[in-house]
Amino acid sequence: MQNKAVISIKNLWAGYDSDTILEDVSFEMFQEDYVGLIGPNGGGKTTLIRVILGLVKPDRGTISVMGMEPYQGRKHIGYVPQFQVEDKQFPISVWDVVAMGRLRPSIFANFRMSSSDKQAIETALDQTGMLEFRNRTMNELSGGQRQRVYISRALVTEPKILLLDEPTSSVDSHSSTQLYDLLAKLNDHIAILLISHDLTAISTYVKTIGCVNRRLVYSGTKEITSDMLDIAYECPVDLVAHGLPHRVLPSHQEGHQHD
Amino acid sequence: MIEQLSTIFSYEFMRNALLASMWISLACGIVGTLVVLNRIVSLSGGIAHAAYGGVGLAYYLGQDPMLGALLFSTVSALVMGTAHRKSKTGADTLIGVMWSIGMAVGIIFISLTPGYKANLMSYLFGSILAVSSNDLKLMALIAFVVLAFVILSYRSLLAISYDETFSTVRNVQVNLIYLSMLVLIGLTVVVSMRMVGLILVIALLSIPPAVARVFLKDMRGIMLLSFILSAIFCALGLVISFLTNIQTGPVIILLASTAYLISLLVRQLLTAKRQ
Ligand SMILES: Nc1ncnc2c1ncn2[C@@H]1O[C@H](COP(=O)(O)OP(=O)(O)OP(=O)(O)O)[C@@H](O)[C@H]1O
Ligand SMILES: [Mg+2]
C-alpha cells in the first residue's frame, strides 16, 4: 500500500476575520488511519474540520486533501456536521436528505436519480438502521435519529475520508455502539477523523488520538499511550479551567511534534 | 350560476384576466414556496418596492415601465440576496434601506414627469382587468421559465434551501443556483405586480405556500398546492370583484388571508389532536 497522506496540513494558521483560532497546526492522516480528536469547547475542532473542507481559508500554511486543494479534494470526504443549524420545520424527507449525498455539482445534472443512486441511498440508510424511516420527514425524528440520517448522508457519498463532528452526542448507547462497530468496519477502506467528547468511546475505538486547543497535539502513533491520555484529559480540563490554552501546551508540544 | 359565469367570462378582458392569473399563480406558487422555505419573504418585499423605483425612472425617461421594473427588481434581488447570504441578520437593514429608496426614487421621478398618471396607480394597486395580450405573453413566458428551471434543478434547489454548507462541500453550484433563484423571484414579483399591485405581491408569494405547508411535507407538493390555491383565490376573486365592483387585488388578498387564518386553525387542531 502506498503511503500517501489523505490529509496533509503544514504549519497552518486559520480563524475567522481577525480572530486566530488555529495556530501552527501540522497534521498528516493516511488511508488506514482512524483518528480521534478531543479538546475543550471552543478549542477549534470544528474549525479544523471546516478548514479541511475548504469552508475556512487558512491565513498561513498549506493544506491538501487527497493531494488536492480542499475544494477539489473534498469530493472524497463524507462529512457529518456537529449539529444541524436548520429550520426544524423544513419539509424534507429522510430519503431526500440522504439523496443530497448523491448530488452532482452541475445545476441541471440532478434532474433524475439513477438506480445505482437509489441503491446506494438504501444501503446507507440500512447501515445506520434508518431504512424504515425513509419516508418520514426530518422534523418527526429525534435528535439521535437525525444524526444517524446525517451519517447515512455522509456514507452515501462513497467517501475515502469520513469527518465526523461529534456524531454520537445525542445518540443512545446502543446505537452509538452500533455506529462505532460500523465505523470500525468502514475503516478497512475509509480514513476516519472523529471528534468526540466521549473519552471512553475514543479510547476504545480509535487508533490514534489528537487534542485540539488552538494548537494540535498529535503524535500519530498507533497505540494510545498513557502519556497521550494524560494530554487528552489534561487538555480539556486544565485549559478550560485556566483559560490559558497555549501556556499549558508547549511542554507537550515539544515531545509530540512529529515531522 | 353557470349562466352567470359564462356571462362574466364572455368579456374578453375577463378571459384575459383569468388566464393571466393562472400564469401568475403558477409562477408565484413555485417561487413563493422557495421564498417561504428560504425565509426571504422580507427580501421579496424589498424587491417589489425597489421595482417601483424602476417604474418611476422608466416613466421619466419615456420608456416601458415594465422594463424599468424588471431592471430594478433584478439588480435589487442580486444585491439584497448576496447580502442576505453573507449575514442573515445584517441584510435586514439593507433590505429596509432599498425598500424605501425604491419607493422614494419612484415617487420623485413620477412627480418630475408631467402628464396623466392614472396608469401608474396600476403598478401600486394592480390592473388585472387591463391585461394586454403582450402582458399575457410575458407572464406566460416567465411562468414557463420558472417551471422549467424548478423541474430541471429541483434536487439542487432543495439541497441548497435545506443545507447550504453540505451542498457547498459537495461542490454543488450553490452561487449559481441561489442567484438564479433570486432573479426568478425578481421576475415573478414584477409580473405579479401587474395584477395585484406592488403592495399585495408579497401576500400572493407568501400566503399560498404558508397554507400549503400546513398540509404537505414535501417541497414539490407545496409548490403544486400553492399553485392550485393561488389559482382558486384569483379566479374566485375575479368573479367576486366583477359582481361587487370592488377592486380585484384586495379581494384576492382577503380571500387568501381568510384561507391562511383557517389553515392556522387547522394546524392548531392538528397539533392539539396529537397531544
Ligand atoms: N463562524 C464563526 N465566526 C467567528 N468565530 C467563530 C465562528 N465559528 C466558531 N468561532 C469561534 O472559533 C472558536 C473555535 O470554535 P470551534 O467551533 O472550532 O470549537 P470546537 O472545538 O468545535 O468546540 P465544541 O467542542 O464546542 O464543538 C470559538 O471561540 C468560536 O467562538
Ligand atoms: Mg465543534
Side-chain angles (χ1 to χ4, degrees), chain A residues 85-195:
Chain A
V85 242
E86 69 180 68
D87 183 353
K88 288 264 162 41
Q89 294 304 314
F90 196 100
I92 188 169
S93 68
V94 167
W95 179 273
D96 281 341
V97 170
V98 179
M100 286 178 69
R102 302 299 283 192
L103 281 179
R104 291 170 227 337
S106 172
I107 177 167
F108 294 135
N110 301 301
F111 179 52
R112 284 193 65 228
M113 262 197 310
S114 69
S115 55
S116 67
D117 285 341
K118 288 178 187 155
Q119 188 58 53
I121 294 168
E122 239 170 70
T123 310
L125 277 170
D126 197 33
Q127 279 176 309
T128 59
M130 289 302 290
L131 188 55
E132 59 179 303
F133 297 95
R134 56 196 281 176
N135 293 323
R136 289 271 196 102
T137 34
M138 287 301 277
N139 56 36
E140 296 167 341
L141 298 184
S142 72
Q145 288 171 330
R146 280 157 180 270
Q147 265 174 323
R148 282 151 70 186
V149 173
Y150 297 133
I151 293 165
S152 296
R153 181 177 67 170
L155 293 178
V156 86
T157 64
E158 292 174 2
K160 294 203 164 67
I161 308 166
L162 258 183
L163 301 185
L164 303 114
D165 199 345
E166 295 182 36
T168 54
S169 58
S170 53
V171 174
D172 63 49
S173 64
H174 173 71
S175 304
S176 78
T177 308
Q178 273 185 334
L179 172 67
Y180 283 119
D181 288 344
L182 173 64
L183 290 180
K185 238 183 288 163
L186 291 168
N187 188 224
D188 281 346
H189 59 283
I190 301 176
I192 299 177
L193 181 64
L194 171 80
I195 294 177

Side-chain angles (χ1 to χ4, degrees), chain A residues 4-18:
Chain A
K4 206 160 166 280
V6 292
I7 297 174
S8 170
I9 299 174
K10 288 198 187 76
N11 305 109
L12 176 126
W13 298 60
Y16 304 96
D17 299 320
S18 57

Side-chain angles (χ1 to χ4, degrees), chain B residues 194-240:
Chain B
R194 296 283 292 175
M195 174 162 122
V196 289
L198 187 53
I199 299 150
L200 306 178
V201 162
I202 305 137
L204 208 50
L205 275 180
S206 57
I207 296 177
V211 176
R213 70 182 296 187
V214 171
F215 302 99
L216 296 175
K217 301 218 161 105
D218 164 65
M219 188 164 96
R220 218 179 325 225
I222 295 175
M223 286 174 169
L224 183 64
L225 184 56
S226 300
F227 163 48
I228 293 169
L229 286 172
S230 178
I232 292 173
F233 299 149
C234 289
L236 218 56
L238 274 172
V239 172
I240 293 175

